Every structure is written in C-alpha cells, then in structure tokens.
Amino acid sequence: MNDLLSALLLGIIEGLTEFLPISSTGHLLIAQHWLGARSDLFNISIQAGAILAITLVYRQRLWQLATGLGEAATRLYALKIAVAFAVTAVVGLPVRLLGWELPDTVTPIAWALVLGGVWMLIAERISEGKPPSDALTWKVVVAVGLAQVLAGVFPGTSRSAAAIFMALLLGMNRKPAAAEFVFLVGIPTMFAASGWALMETVLDGGAGDEDWASLGVAFVAATLTGFAAVRWLLGYIATHSFRPFAWYRIGLGVALLLGLPAGS
C-alpha cells in the first residue's frame, strides 16, 4: 500500500480510537500488522495530534478556567485537575522508570480489551443504580489519576475508559460531567507522556530516518478525526450508555485471542 495512504489510515485510526473507550493501542496494533510497523516517533506524533484535537474541543472551557481563577469554584476545579495530574505523575513516573508495563503485543492487549469490556458493563450497571450526580469529590480526583496509571501499565485498557468508569463508580455518574473532567485531566497527562517519549526517542537517535511527509499526513488526520470523535462522543453519552463500546471491546478481544484479525 502507498506509504502516504497507510499513514493517513493510521492517523485516522488513532484519532477515532484515542478518546473512545475502546483502546487506541489495540487498534493500532491490528492496523500496523496490516499496514506496516511505524517508528516510535511516528506513534508519538499521531498521539500528539489527538491531544491537539481534545485541546481544540475544550478550548472555550480551558479559556474559562484560565480567566476565571478569581472565582472560588473555578479555582477549585482547576486545582482538582492539577491534583489528578499530579497523582498520575507521582505514581506513574516511577512505574515507567522501573519498566512495570506489559508489552504491546496481542495477548495482553486482547485480555485487557475483554476484561475492560466486562468491567465497563458491571460498572455502568452499578452507577445506574445510584442517584444522578456530577459531584467531583476528592475521592474521584485521586481515582482518576490512579486509573490513568493503570491504563499505562496495561496497554489495551483505554485511559479514557479506566478513568471515566472510576468516576462513575465513585459517585460522579453523570457521564458528560465525568467525561469532561477525565478529558481535561488527559490534556496535561498526554502532553507530558508524549513529551517524555519524544525526548527519549530523540536522545536515542530515533528521528534520523523519519518519513516526515507521512508523519505530517498522519498528524493532521489524527487531529481532525480526534476532534470529530470527541464531539460525537460527548453528544452520544448524554443520552446513551457505554454498553455498545463494552460489547465491541469484548468481541474484538475474543477475536484477537482466537488469532482472527492479527493472525498471531
């Protein structure tokens, strides 16, 4: 397949799956099996496109937070974003340095997809039995930070799924409110993770032979599709459950374990 076309498809896949609770890692693994493996710099860059997309989606909310720090409620919300990010950084950095992470290979990702799907079904059933609430407690804040670390240790878990469902289980069970907080926390988290990975890649000399045209195409594709995917998801979850995503994860994970799409 033409290299630019395969880069375009990979960028689209990253943008569509990064923020949906279905695991971008699992989908990119399958896609790169057929479209060819890419460099670490390429994978980091298309994730940066997804980060740019979520930043654009929440540009007005971010501006409101930045300019409204004189108000106690806004200042507290911003502090909670900072604390959730700090929890992820303080716990996640030692985990990363110690190498506590499962490999990006079919079997662990497939199991993470299946178990994550089952967890989503159970968590949504439990959260639906509680009174509706958008209360952002400190318990939710810390749990969202820890959930992001969990997703980093177990590729295929989905950062957004792990964090959103922790919030739902702990009482913040209005989905749009939970998703907004998780996505806002995800902006500094993903910027930091991508920046760290980029630094490691450049220091290791991994940028020398990069196909910059393909990388640019994939970056733009990830940004545009990521923007559309998040806008769609926010509208969808306002009136629908996450169950279709859970069943999709379970089906994909089982197919991977049977060796159907990936052939391994």
Side-chain angles (χ1 to χ4, degrees):
M1 181 180 291
N2 180 277
D3 198 54
L4 285 177
L5 178 57
S6 65
L8 174 65
L9 292 175
L10 289 171
I12 291 172
I13 291 168
E14 166 64 22
L16 289 175
T17 60
E18 180 63 47
F19 298 106
L20 300 183
I22 55 176
S23 172
S24 61
T25 303
H27 286 78
L28 285 174
L29 176 72
I30 299 168
Q32 291 192 12
H33 175 79
W34 297 109
L35 301 175
R38 294 286 177 159
S39 68
D40 289 339
L41 180 60
F42 180 94
N43 292 326
I44 295 165
S45 297
I46 61 174
Q47 185 180 56
I51 303 169
L52 177 58
I54 197 72
T55 304
L56 292 173
V57 169
Y58 283 105
R59 63 193 183 281
Q60 293 180 335
R61 181 67 169 128
L62 291 169
W63 178 253
Q64 180 188 36
L65 289 170
T67 58
L69 292 176
E71 301 174 7
T74 302
R75 191 163 57 247
L76 180 60
Y77 193 88
L79 176 62
K80 288 179 176 178
I81 292 174
V83 169
F85 169 69
V87 169
T88 301
V90 169
V91 179
L93 184 57
V95 168
R96 174 68 181 267
L97 293 176
L98 291 171
W100 292 348
E101 179 181 351
L102 291 177
D104 289 348
T105 52
V106 171
T107 300
I109 288 175
W111 278 112
L113 286 167
V114 172
L115 295 176
V118 173
W119 155 256
M120 287 168 64
L121 292 172
I122 295 171
E124 182 141 36
R125 174 63 64 87
I126 293 173
S127 70
E128 287 176 346
K130 298 179 179 180
S133 172
D134 57 5
L136 179 55
T137 63
W138 286 107
K139 183 166 58 175
V140 170
V141 170
V142 173
V144 165
L146 293 175
Q148 294 195 129
V149 178
L150 177 69
V153 173
F154 296 97
T157 301
S158 172
R159 187 198 61 82
S160 61
I164 289 172
F165 277 87
M166 284 303 295
L168 294 179
L169 274 178
L170 294 177
M172 193 180 187
N173 58 1
R174 289 193 188 275
K175 298 185 190 74
E180 178 181 276
F181 181 71
V182 167
F183 287 152
L184 289 174
V185 173
I187 292 173
T189 301
M190 293 174 66
F191 268 124
S194 294
W196 180 275
L198 180 60
M199 180 184 69
E200 289 182 326
T201 300
V202 171
L203 290 177
D204 289 341
D209 300 322
E210 190 61 46
D211 181 348
W212 296 103
S214 294
L215 188 151
V217 167
F219 176 86
V220 172
T223 302
L224 295 177
T225 53
F227 183 88
V230 173
R231 291 291 297 269
W232 174 82
L233 179 66
L234 293 174
Y236 176 85
I237 62 175
T239 55
H240 296 79
S241 78
F242 282 104
R243 289 187 185 89
F245 297 110
W247 287 114
Y248 173 80
R249 286 177 62 107
I250 293 169
L252 177 61
V254 169
L256 283 170
L257 289 172
L258 293 175
L260 299 180
S264 60

